[in-house]
Amino acid sequence: MEDEKKDISEEAEKIDPKEAEQFWDKAVSDAPKTKSANGDILTYEEALDEGILPEDED
């Protein structure tokens, strides 16, 4: 198990942060849009705009 953690850490250090950011930006942009697949789903912002979220407790 320790060897696996060491291997993962060593590989992670080789990743260029800019390339990783580009990868995730592309992955998100290519991902299917859940809302269009199921029109019954509200985003958090839509629920907030509709006033259907519970009040935050401080």
Side-chain angles (χ1 to χ4, degrees):
M1 182 76 166
E2 288 298 318
D3 288 338
E4 291 174 1
K5 288 182 182 178
K6 182 179 175 186
D7 291 342
I8 291 171
S9 294
E10 289 173 357
E11 289 301 314
E13 290 174 2
K14 296 177 187 177
I15 296 172
D16 178 1
K18 289 181 182 178
E19 287 181 19
E21 187 69 28
Q22 289 174 349
F23 169 84
W24 287 113
D25 286 344
K26 181 172 178 2
V28 170
S29 68
D30 291 347
K33 306 297 185 247
T34 304
K35 183 167 175 45
S36 64
N38 185 347
D40 294 336
I41 297 174
L42 289 178
T43 64
Y44 177 82
E45 288 79 17
E46 290 171 331
L48 189 61
D49 290 344
E50 295 290 328
I52 57 176
L53 292 175
E55 293 291 324
D56 288 336
E57 294 182 21
D58 291 330

